[in-house]
Amino acid sequence: MSTVNDRSSPDRSPPLLVAANLTKRYGSDGTVVDGVTFSAAAGEILGIIGPNGAGKTTLLEAVAGLLPVNSGDVFWRGDRLQANRRRNVLFYLPDGVRPYQDQSALQVVSFVGNVFRRSEADIRSAIEELGLGPVLRRRVHALSKGYARRLMLTIGLLAPHDLLLMDEPFDGFDLRQTRDVMGTLRRQAASGRALILSIHQLRDAERICDRFVLLSAGQVRGTGGLAELRAQTGLPNGSLEEIFLALT
Amino acid sequence: MLLLVCPLVGYSFVQAVSLYSESSAAGLQSPVLARSLSPLDGILVPTFGSFYVAVTLLFPFVAIRTLGQEKESGALRLLVQLPYRPSTLIAAKFCAVLAAWLMVSVPALSALAIWAILGGHLAASETLNLLFGHLLYGLLAGVIGLLAAVISDNSATAAIIALAVTIGSWVLDFTLAGRSGPSAWIAQLSLTQTLRPFEQGLLSAGLVLGITAVIGGLAALTVVWLPPGTTLRTKIVRSVSCVLAMAVALAVAAQTRSSVDISEDRRNSFSSADEHLLATLRHPLVIKVNLAAEDPRYIDLRRNVLAKLERAMPDLTVLLVSERPNVANPSDAYGQIEYLYGDRNDVSRSTSPREILPLIYALAGAQPPASSVGEEYPGYPLVVSADATLLWFFGGLPLLVVLAWRQVRRLPPDKGLVHQGVKP
């Protein structure tokens, strides 16, 4: 079976970020994330893959420092990174958020651009990259799901951080839009940024990600590039979907 | 909220002017009656009284909206990732609350302007003092709303919490006012109590310090509870520290007696000559009051004598030695007020300064001062109708508010960014 991103994991530079043994429980027996460990390197797109309820969003929020964990640590370039300092090095784009709904998309983008001290050219470039132009004067609450997603991605492009965490970045896009956004994310990675994407659509994940963390019921079932996962499962031509089913 | 405040404040103002005019009609015939006509009591306090009700019931919602909307939409998770500390974010929200209060106060401020235009008298110091009191109260209500928004999952819960505090405060005030002991202490926690000295033209350093400490403490708690990534245990530990710091600040405030009587009629002070003489009395004065706290005589004594003595004398102790009078076995001692100065003492049942001050001077061996001339408050009677101003409060001002709202809602110019982002 052919895939868009049918390559083994590249020679990896030292990891920017290491999440070590992260565990998050709600109540006494509600373990949502169970001892998850993974790393992400500069220029890499890492996919956190799993079905709905696998713990992807919880994991991303824990890494971003927006959710306290029961145990585990996050390291940045080898140093332990406290939760309250993570916003200095990474930026998380949550799913389903429409920020500042009474404002226009332009006001929101300009606000974020100004907060991050981006030039007008940068703001213009981000808007152009995501094709947000036609709705810039529309209020956020009136944006379609796809444009609301583009707005969030524009915010992500304006954030100057070395690492972007994105929760379901392709949700709400049609096929063509998904391909365009994938191209945008690829260019971001090529510029040296690391991207960690939480994706439940395995075909999308297979096309965009360099490496994968397969998550099921809060536990890591497999990590690595597609070639490594194929070797691990003994499915030399297996798709990510087949690999996932084999491992979970 | 502004649209509701306009008619509310307007109606109160017109009613206040009407009543003041009726009293003034008699006051113009008699200088003695005129002396009792103070715009602070007759116009300012009733007009701002309706403003106070609106702020108590509605302003917490405004404050809740500044954070609750972001919390509900999920935008808070973006907000806390911006390169600002939580304290900076809350300071910005606090400034927004302050700006909102300034806007909400426009109807009341316009009522003051109308009163001045109608020829009414406004004493700058007592007016500014009252405004300052309402500002502190508004900020207190606002910071309660902010804290409620931060600790609640949604705005509805936050509103319930904020109203439970503000309306619960009224309940405290109504049920425990005039009681003694722990009840009196609890009653003092009522938010309503914060405004009373300002309404009486008194600027109390202890009260200002206390309110500022509570505002600062609640703002600090809001900062503690804002970051979603902090563990509950850490938040609780930090909250306890904030509460302890607030308690220490309140204890210091409670010990701070210094205050300034800003009222034009000097209602919180004895005459200047009496104040000067009382300030020279160096021995401690102990007053043992054999009255129940809710006894009207004690309330008179506190207002007319004790509160003024506390401001004027360097070393005064007031002991309330009686609880409720025993109807079955009435005691002769009930109602007596004993004054101890140095090694001398005297007893009286009077609650009037005209009798009590000479008694104290006699105990201290001091010559009572000659009565001051020219200190009499003249009063400011004014017969005028403000009915026409209802047009302003019910029509003109709301219309301006709507027009301003439309202007604010209008999208800003696009600076050339619009229509340049279309992908080919």
Side-chain angles (χ1 to χ4, degrees), chain A residues 98-119:
Chain A
R98 287 174 184 251
Y100 309 107
Q101 301 193 20
D102 289 341
Q103 308 292 317
S104 69
L106 176 62
Q107 285 173 309
V108 173
V109 170
S110 299
F111 168 71
V112 172
N114 291 331
V115 163
F116 288 126
R117 300 176 189 278
R118 304 304 290 258
S119 67

Side-chain angles (χ1 to χ4, degrees), chain B residues 171-236:
Chain B
V171 174
L172 271 183
D173 203 46
F174 288 137
T175 56
L176 299 177
R179 302 277 180 90
S180 57
S183 303
W185 187 83
I186 293 171
Q188 283 187 343
L189 298 176
S190 159
L191 299 180
T192 315
Q193 296 281 350
T194 59
L195 272 177
R196 293 213 172 119
F198 294 102
E199 289 175 343
Q200 288 300 313
L202 196 64
L203 180 60
S204 161
L207 180 62
V208 172
L209 180 62
I211 300 173
T212 308
V214 173
I215 291 172
L218 295 181
L221 283 172
T222 309
V223 172
V224 165
W225 285 85
L226 180 70
T230 309
T231 62
L232 183 63
R233 184 194 177 109
T234 306
K235 284 179 177 175
I236 289 172

Side-chain angles (χ1 to χ4, degrees), chain A residues 61 65-66 68 87 91-92 97 100-102 104 106-107 115-116 120 124 128-129 131 133 136-137 139, chain B residues 65 70 73 77 79-85 228-231 409 411-412 414-418 420-421 423:
Chain A
E61 293 193 349
L66 298 177
R87 64 191 166 95
F91 193 78
Y92 167 61
V97 169
Y100 309 107
Q101 301 193 20
D102 289 341
S104 69
L106 176 62
Q107 285 173 309
V115 163
F116 288 126
E120 197 164 300
R124 197 188 305 272
E128 202 170 297
E129 184 77 46
L136 277 179
R137 290 185 66 79
R139 293 190 196 280
Chain B
R65 195 171 184 271
E70 282 169 330
S73 72
R77 283 178 289 172
L79 185 72
V80 296
Q81 293 185 80
L82 298 182
Y84 304 115
R85 289 180 299 183
T230 309
T231 62
R409 289 276 297 171
L411 293 173
D414 58 33
K415 296 190 295 183
L417 289 169
V418 176
Q420 298 207 9
K423 291 198 83 164

